[in-house]
């Protein structure tokens, strides 16, 4: 864990290093993923069999080794403890409601020149949803990916999830049943992303691929962008907590660990105006971490990438936050709105002392698939719009074309494109 003080002479150099630090995997991943994509594209199902046996110790033999039957998903849902089933349903209801409000409206109007203009929104035909199943299995990720697609009107939803030794997490299957996923395949990694993009004899291709995964999954999505649409290229998780000394240090320590336990490359940062409070939080991080089942991962993350920054005033944290452009930002202060007004770059912001980031991971409603690695400077979290595309339309009458056509002819000729000019000109004659 690094401790930085904003008024120290070397702060800017140290902070710039943190901002520019890349916690993604090395270039070997790029080469390895490219080889996998090529193999799946060329050899299809045979390549999937080989990679699944190698990476997941799972042999794809009979149909049920490949694809989870709908009845198994329904059985997993029915077998849930009532309290857990209620929690899953509440989460689904809240996520569905939030994303329904995102649905865009079509436009259709006639402008002053008499030209009819507009745009129509349509869902993609098929979406592939990647659900991790390695270090942990995340039914919440399935809800966060599938429900926006369902709200958008996507007709075919395909889930890819790794099944180490052939075992698929029953909670993931229960979530798939709850939201009405059409296909669940026991395939993970870059090879699963390749199968979704290119298609194989068994698996039909999709139009958009979304969902978090490890560095190999993220790199596969990056390389396949253009063949299919993707939500984003996501890296290790990150959280920035801006907090004053009025907070319970145990609460803040738990918030920092909530992201550290995801991945050894995850990053947790605290900015506070009280150094004593920072050391109290550090102490509670050590105590809580030692009691976690995920302590090995959390400690590796905190030791390598954890940061505490001391500022003179909490207002000074805002420009630092904008430079970090973190995936998650918590504003654990009396007046979070005052700081929030200045936050321009963040995946999601959590306002007040009683809004831990974890509530956004599961139950609040906004999507938890968010940009990482400073990509919040130009990207947003997953939404209904990731599963839709906009088609514009134009309708010009003879009178309307006469009004705007001459300008189009002039521009076409200026660009040296006479056929463009002629296609307008002939209609005006």
């Amino acid at each position: 864990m690094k401790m930085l003080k904003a008024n120290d002479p070397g702060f800017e150099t140290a902070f710039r290093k943190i901002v520019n630090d890349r916690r993604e995997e090395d270039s070997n991943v790029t080469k390895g993923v490219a080889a996998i994509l090529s193999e799946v594209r060329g050899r299809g199902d045979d390549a999937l069999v080989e990679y699944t046996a190698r990476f997941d110790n799972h042999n794809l033999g009979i149909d049920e080794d490949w694809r989870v039957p709908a009845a198994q998903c329904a059985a997993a849902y029915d077998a849930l403890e009532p309290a857990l089933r209620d929690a899953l349903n509440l989460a689904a209801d809240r996520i569905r409601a939030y994303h329904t409000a995102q649905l865009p409206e079509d436009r259709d109007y006639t402008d002053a020149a008499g030209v009819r203009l507009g745009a129509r929104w349509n869902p993609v035909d098929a979406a592939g949803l990647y659900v991790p199943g390695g270090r942990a299995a995340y039914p919440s990720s399935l809800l966060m990916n599938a429900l926006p697609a369902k709200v958008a009107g996507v007709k075919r939803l395909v889930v890819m999830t790794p099944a180490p030794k052939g075992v698929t997490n029953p909670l993931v299957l229960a979530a798939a049943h709850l939201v009405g996923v059409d296909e669940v395949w026991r395939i993970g990694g870059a090879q699963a992303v390749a199968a979704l993009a290119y298609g194989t004899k068994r698996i039909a291709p999709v139009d958009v691929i979304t969902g978090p995964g490890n560095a190999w999954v993220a790199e596969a999505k990056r390389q396949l962008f253009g063949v299919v649409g993707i939500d984003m290229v996501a890296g290790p998780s990150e959280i920035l907590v801006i907090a004053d000394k009025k907070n319970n240090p145990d609460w803040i320590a738990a918030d920092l660990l909530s992201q550290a336990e995801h991945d050894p490359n995850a990053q947790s940062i605290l900015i506070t105006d009280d150094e004593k409070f920072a050391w109290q939080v550090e102490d509670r991080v050590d105590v809580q971490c030692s009691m976690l089942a995920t302590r090995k991962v959390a400690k590796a993350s905190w030791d390598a990438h954890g940061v505490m920054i001391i500022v003179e005033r909490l207002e000074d944290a805002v420009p630092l936050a904008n430079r970090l452009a973190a995936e998650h930002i918590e504003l654990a202060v009396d007046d979070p709105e005052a700081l929030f007004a200045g936050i321009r770059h963040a995946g999601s912001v959590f306002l007040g002392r009683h809004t831990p980031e974890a509530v956004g991971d599961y139950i609040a409603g906004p999507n938890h698939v968010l940009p990482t690695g400073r990509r919040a400077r130009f990207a947003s979290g997953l939404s209904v719009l990731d599963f839709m595309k906009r088609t514009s339309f134009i309708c010009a009458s003879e009178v309307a074309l006469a009004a705007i056509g001459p300008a189009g002819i002039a521009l076409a000729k200026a660009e040296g494109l006479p056929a463009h000019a002629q296609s307008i000109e002939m209609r005006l004659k």
Side-chain angles (χ1 to χ4, degrees):
M1 190 276 296
K2 299 178 180 69
M3 174 73 80
L4 305 179
K5 297 181 181 179
N7 57 5
D8 281 355
F11 173 77
E12 176 56 31
T13 299
F15 184 72
R16 189 185 307 119
K17 188 174 185 298
I18 292 167
V19 169
N20 295 329
D21 183 31
R22 309 316 302 165
R23 290 171 287 116
E24 285 86 351
E25 300 289 340
D26 60 33
S27 60
N28 289 333
V29 172
T30 302
K31 296 177 183 177
V33 167
I36 291 173
L37 301 188
S38 177
E39 284 288 301
V40 174
R41 186 177 190 182
R43 299 174 53 232
D45 292 332
D46 290 341
L48 294 181
V49 170
E50 292 177 16
Y51 286 125
T52 301
R54 184 193 308 177
F55 297 130
D56 292 332
N57 196 21
H58 172 45
N59 294 317
L60 295 173
I62 62 174
D63 288 345
E64 289 193 11
D65 292 333
W66 285 78
R67 183 173 169 180
V68 180
Q72 186 178 343
C73 295
Y77 178 80
D78 292 338
L80 290 176
E81 293 283 343
L84 187 53
R85 186 187 303 119
D86 290 346
L88 206 60
N89 276 282
L90 177 61
D93 289 344
R94 293 185 61 85
I95 295 165
R96 186 184 297 109
Y98 181 87
H99 288 82
T100 298
Q102 293 179 338
L103 282 167
E105 294 184 356
D106 293 346
R107 297 183 66 201
D108 191 342
Y109 67 99
T110 301
D111 69 11
V115 182
R116 183 185 169 204
L117 304 169
R120 184 175 60 192
W121 289 89
N122 283 300
V124 300
D125 292 333
L129 317 174
Y130 191 90
V131 179
R135 183 173 282 114
Y138 300 114
S140 58
S141 283
L142 194 150
L143 297 182
M144 292 288 183
N145 283 270
L147 286 168
K150 276 285 185 183
V151 169
V154 179
K155 299 300 183 187
R156 176 174 166 252
L157 296 185
V158 185
V159 165
M160 289 288 189
T161 187
K165 297 182 180 180
V167 177
T168 309
N169 185 278
L171 261 178
V172 169
L173 300 185
H177 171 75
L178 174 60
V179 301
V181 166
D182 300 292
E183 304 167 26
V184 180
W185 297 87
R186 303 181 200 267
I187 303 168
Q191 61 272 22
V193 180
L196 288 171
Y198 296 129
T200 70
K201 287 184 179 179
R202 284 180 178 264
I203 303 168
V206 300
D207 305 303
V208 170
I209 301 173
T210 71
N214 62 18
W216 291 73
V217 170
E219 176 61 18
K221 287 165 64 178
R222 188 190 68 80
Q223 291 189 26
L224 287 166
F225 177 62
V227 178
V228 290
I230 65 170
D231 49 353
M232 65 191 75
V233 178
S237 300
E238 54 203 31
I239 186 171
L240 166 63
V241 180
I242 299 174
D244 58 28
K245 65 181 179 181
K246 296 179 184 178
N247 285 279
N248 183 328
D250 269 312
W251 293 11
I252 303 304
D255 296 347
L256 296 169
L257 288 169
S258 72
Q259 296 309 297
E261 71 176 349
H262 270 301
D263 188 309
N265 287 320
Q267 183 165 62
S268 302
I269 298 176
L270 170 67
I271 301 181
T272 181
D273 59 350
D274 190 281
E275 185 175 352
K276 181 180 178 181
F277 175 73
W279 287 116
Q280 289 173 338
V281 172
E282 159 69 4
D283 177 65
R284 301 319 297 169
V285 166
D286 288 342
V287 171
Q288 291 184 31
C289 187
S290 69
M291 297 185 288
L292 291 174
T294 52
R295 58 184 172 273
K296 184 176 180 181
V297 172
K299 180 171 172 52
S301 165
W302 181 245
D303 288 349
H305 304 294
V307 181
M308 290 193 177
I309 298 174
I310 313 302
V311 293
E312 290 188 5
R313 304 173 308 149
L314 282 178
E315 293 84 352
D316 298 336
V318 172
L320 301 180
N322 283 325
R323 289 174 65 185
L324 288 165
E327 179 186 14
H328 310 103
I329 297 180
E330 286 186 12
L331 302 178
V333 296
D334 284 336
D335 183 12
E337 295 292 342
L339 297 181
F340 184 39
I343 300 292
R344 300 178 55 245
H345 306 308
S348 189
V349 181
F350 303 81
L351 306 174
R353 306 186 199 282
H354 289 84
T355 317
E357 183 280 329
V359 79
D361 279 342
Y362 298 107
I363 206 74
N367 213 285
H368 78 195
V369 181
L370 299 165
T372 61
R374 297 189 66 232
R375 297 181 183 94
R377 293 172 297 125
F378 54 81
S380 307
L382 188 69
S383 78
V384 167
L385 298 184
D386 288 292
F387 300 97
M388 304 185 78
K389 64 272 189 339
R390 183 182 65 251
T391 301
S392 61
F393 60 85
I394 305 165
C395 180
S397 65
E398 185 177 356
V399 172
L401 186 62
I404 66 173
I409 293 169
L411 290 170
K413 289 180 176 179
E415 291 186 351
L417 298 172
H420 281 66
Q422 187 169 278
S423 73
I424 301 172
E425 211 163 22
M426 292 177 73
R427 287 169 169 79
L428 296 184
K429 290 178 180 178

